[in-house]
Amino acid sequence: MTETAPDLLYSEAEEDLRAAVRSLLADRTDTASTLTRAESDIPCDPRLWQALGAEMGLAGLLVPEKLGGQGAGHREAGVVLEEIGRSVAPVPYLTSSVIATETLLGLDITADEVAGLLGELASGRKTAALVVPFSYGPDSPRLRGGLDGVTRTVADAATADVLLVPTGQGLYAVEAGEAAITALTPLDLTRPLADVALDGARGTLLADADTGRAAVRRGLLAGAGLLASEQLGVAEWCLTETVAYTRDRKQFNRPVGSFQALKHRMAQLWLEVVSARAAARNAADALATGSPDAPLAVAVAQAYCSRVAVHAAEECVQLHGGIGMTWEHPAHLYLKRAKSAQSALGSAGEHRASVAEIVGLPGPA
């Protein structure tokens, strides 16, 4: 039996989706508004999320149509995240529409509580956050004993309506108002982090411990795989802006981009971005098709794309010269998004270790 080769190309429908999302983001968000909102008490943009999640229906891409979603797949969600990465949009798409939604899809979706919550997430009326540290990868979560204690650095918990809490007894849904949520000051101000204290919280049991554990791994695996698409979007924006700037900026009466040393740097970066696109698309396609190689594809994508995004953002800051170091220029937003994402959902080292384990490469003696 021959295996089907992954489809790394974008379909016409995916390109149409990209155009629509890019147009909306260009119309609804800009550098000045993103900077202002990032420094405010509400870093996420509720109007932008309403437009993306509810009006365009993107919050429900991964949710079956019978539950009120779009019945699409991870390839389409990857396209959306590429565009969110290109604009560093302050919306909870990765945490709510991918990680939390995928976690719920790993449960019994015929159960009223699960189906109802999935419908609300798909409509964009509510958002959810999985209560594990944002640094946890698919193989790292440790379950708490019950609905108590504090979980550090939970992404988008401060703006979520519902918290999905994995415990030793099972997976619970907890209304955000039942928890004590302390906002933190993260490196990337466009993706807020918070500590979540659940002492005395009341929740609805959604699944037993074993089912909940498998569902959480499914959610984190999808999140890590599609985070690579967001990192690709960050890298593509940085490369495009750097090439445009060095073409227009002149020194010694010639464009700085015409100097051979800079040509070599940008050519090397282009090669890395092209390879990152292949890795990210392979991960999205493996998740979409339910391939048994999905864990390997995700680990490879994260190990590679996280480094490329940081390199592209660093080159963007450096090759923009003095203006790249200013607060008004958006380059620092992309560098911070890339650096924070590098340690999110498993570090590159953890994913390389996963690759070695999956393919049976022996470690050092």
Side-chain angles (χ1 to χ4, degrees):
M1 181 177 178
T2 58
E3 294 184 3
T4 304
D7 182 5
L8 305 184
L9 301 178
Y10 298 96
S11 67
E12 183 178 350
E14 289 165 354
E15 291 292 3
D16 290 342
L17 174 62
R18 178 194 307 284
V21 175
R22 185 175 298 186
S23 175
L24 185 144
L25 291 173
D27 183 58
R28 301 293 184 93
T29 186
D30 55 36
T31 301
S33 63
T34 300
L35 282 170
T36 300
R37 181 164 292 280
E39 294 183 315
S40 71
D41 294 333
I42 309 176
C44 290
D45 188 340
R47 291 185 178 180
L48 179 60
W49 176 243
Q50 173 69 17
L52 277 173
E55 295 172 15
M56 289 191 70
L58 301 184
L61 279 182
L62 298 179
V63 179
E65 292 184 39
K66 64 182 180 180
L67 296 178
Q70 305 301 318
H74 301 82
R75 291 171 59 91
E76 291 81 3
V79 170
V80 173
L81 279 165
E82 285 180 36
E83 295 307 310
I84 288 175
R86 286 181 66 94
S87 63
V88 289
V91 292
Y93 189 83
L94 177 68
T95 51
S96 181
S97 301
V98 175
I99 298 175
T101 296
E102 273 289 309
T103 300
L104 291 171
L105 288 171
L107 308 178
D108 179 9
I109 61 173
T110 63
D112 292 341
E113 296 85 354
V114 177
L117 185 51
L118 277 170
E120 291 184 304
L121 296 186
S123 69
R125 292 192 301 270
K126 288 187 176 181
T127 61
L130 181 64
V131 183
V132 298
F134 197 41
S135 60
Y136 275 15
D139 297 319
S140 58
R142 297 182 296 274
L143 299 181
R144 65 174 72 240
L147 288 176
D148 53 16
V150 178
T151 303
R152 308 289 182 183
T153 63
V154 179
D156 290 323
T159 57
D161 300 295
V162 179
L163 304 174
L164 301 181
V165 186
T167 75
Q169 288 76 47
L171 181 67
Y172 287 84
V174 178
E175 293 295 325
E178 291 283 330
I181 300 175
T182 305
L184 305 175
T185 303
L187 173 64
D188 177 13
L189 295 175
T190 63
R191 178 168 283 149
L193 302 176
D195 292 342
V196 178
L198 290 164
D199 292 335
R202 293 171 298 175
T204 301
L205 182 64
L206 301 178
D208 60 40
D210 290 339
T211 303
R213 187 180 297 107
V216 168
R217 186 181 188 280
R218 170 175 170 163
L220 294 176
L221 184 70
L226 295 185
L227 177 60
S229 293
E230 182 184 283
Q231 291 164 327
L232 170 62
V234 169
E236 287 182 329
W237 184 92
C238 291
L239 174 61
T240 300
E241 290 298 311
T242 302
V243 170
Y245 180 78
T246 56
R247 183 178 58 238
D248 297 336
R249 180 77 169 88
K250 290 183 172 58
Q251 282 187 345
F252 308 108
N253 205 33
R254 59 185 289 193
V256 296
S258 65
F259 295 113
Q260 190 175 40
L262 299 191
K263 284 183 178 179
H264 287 174
R265 287 172 68 170
M266 286 182 282
Q268 176 61 36
L269 187 56
W270 181 83
L271 289 173
E272 292 179 8
V273 171
V274 170
S275 299
R277 183 180 302 116
R281 290 297 289 172
N282 182 49
D285 186 73
L287 289 167
T289 58
S291 170
D293 291 330
L296 176 60
V298 168
V300 169
Q302 262 308 298
Y304 187 74
C305 293
S306 61
R307 181 185 65 80
V308 172
V310 171
H311 183 213
E314 289 174 342
E315 290 287 75
C316 182
V317 170
Q318 290 184 12
L319 296 184
H320 271 78
I323 192 175
M325 303 295 293
T326 64
W327 188 253
E328 291 76 13
H329 195 277
H332 68 93
L333 292 175
Y334 291 84
L335 179 58
K336 291 170 182 175
R337 174 64 67 93
K339 287 296 291 184
S340 65
Q342 190 175 37
S343 59
L345 299 171
S347 67
E350 291 172 347
H351 288 291
R352 283 194 290 268
S354 294
V355 172
E357 181 179 352
I358 293 170
V359 301
L361 289 175

